[in-house]
Amino acid sequence: MSAVGDAVVYLNDPFNWTRPDGILDLLVEHLAISAAAVLLAAVLAIPAGVLLGRSGRGGGAIVVLSNVSRAVPTLALLTVFAVTPIGFSDTATVLALAVFAVPPMLTNTSVGFREVDRDVVEAARAMGMSRGQLLTRVETPLALPLVMTGIRTAAVQVVATATLAALVGGGGLGRIINLGFGQQDLGQILAGAVVVAALALLTELVLVLVSWALTPGPRRLPFRPARRGPAAEPEPTAAGVPL
């Protein structure tokens, strides 16, 4: 049987889903690791992005930081953590993934707040709004689409990369792939990859819907093209022939 057939058999076996340390248990661990990493990155990156974006400073530094952070492999960070008191654990994976998730959140948040129309801000300030009101009622709603794009990008990357947790003794869906490599079972490796890919796509879809629900203003269904207004009819001439 081919690797694809073996993967289908593996995924259609209920025992592989429900047994201890089966797909469902590993899925919960994978989501917990990913959520912790994204939350930690958001706590660090979003406030910093708001401060830098509102001040209009640090744009060059953010670009450099983003490029340097993306150039450092997550697996290299896990190896570094292994020789520290953190050791091989889910904690090391969460920290490494959080470092990986900071750049897109920081960049998008900073750009989103920097690109808020200054005329709108000045008009709101002229109406007597305080700095706090400007932030919560004017700047944040306008910057929210870009902020959510950064969160969505980081979350999908983290979900896909969290499979590395299995290489340092952690949990998650990467254990299916790791075990498949150990047993030279191509079907199991493919099955694990399919589950991780499906989870990443589902994460993208859920966060697109969340972004759509939170973004103020006129709404249309996600992934649906915007409607065009009715075309204007040509004005008839005196002879009754359109121009």
Side-chain angles (χ1 to χ4, degrees):
M1 189 178 292
S2 66
V4 174
D6 290 340
V8 172
V9 171
Y10 183 91
L11 292 174
N12 280 294
D13 187 349
F15 179 72
N16 289 329
W17 289 83
T18 57
R19 63 181 171 83
D21 287 334
I23 297 176
L24 291 179
D25 286 348
L26 296 177
L27 177 62
V28 172
E29 291 182 45
H30 197 99
L31 288 174
I33 292 171
S34 301
V38 172
L39 181 61
L40 178 59
V43 169
L44 297 174
I46 292 180
V50 172
L51 290 175
L52 292 173
R54 296 187 80 192
S55 66
R57 300 176 182 175
I62 291 175
V63 172
V64 172
L65 175 63
S66 297
N67 292 336
V68 170
S69 300
R70 290 172 181 172
V72 178
T74 305
L75 186 57
L77 287 177
L78 291 172
T79 305
V80 171
F81 290 147
V83 297
T84 67
I86 298 174
F88 289 111
S89 63
D90 286 344
T91 302
T93 307
V94 169
L95 292 176
L97 291 174
V99 172
F100 185 57
V102 162
M105 289 192 195
L106 179 61
T107 302
N108 280 52
T109 302
S110 174
V111 172
F113 277 86
R114 186 181 296 118
E115 294 299 319
V116 172
D117 193 335
R118 292 298 100 187
D119 291 338
V120 174
V121 174
E122 290 301 323
R125 185 177 288 115
M127 294 172 61
M129 286 190 179
S130 63
R131 286 182 60 85
Q133 289 174 323
L134 285 173
L135 174 63
T136 58
R137 298 174 61 181
V138 178
E139 294 175 302
T140 297
L142 293 175
L144 189 59
L146 267 180
V147 175
M148 287 301 302
T149 298
I151 294 174
R152 188 172 74 247
T153 301
V156 173
Q157 290 176 349
V158 165
V159 167
T161 312
T163 52
L164 295 175
L167 298 177
V168 292
L173 295 170
R175 290 178 59 183
I176 300 175
I177 300 174
N178 198 34
L179 185 59
F181 274 113
Q183 298 177 345
Q184 294 298 300
D185 187 341
L186 295 180
Q188 186 170 341
I189 295 171
L190 181 58
V194 167
V195 175
V196 173
L199 182 60
L201 290 174
L202 182 61
T203 302
E204 172 81 13
L205 176 60
V206 169
L207 290 178
V208 165
L209 294 175
V210 170
S211 178
W212 171 78
L214 294 178
T215 301
R219 296 176 182 173
R220 58 183 176 86
L221 291 176
F223 311 114
R224 184 177 179 181
R227 277 188 173 182
R228 292 185 178 181
E233 296 183 0
E235 296 181 2
T237 62
V241 180
L243 291 175

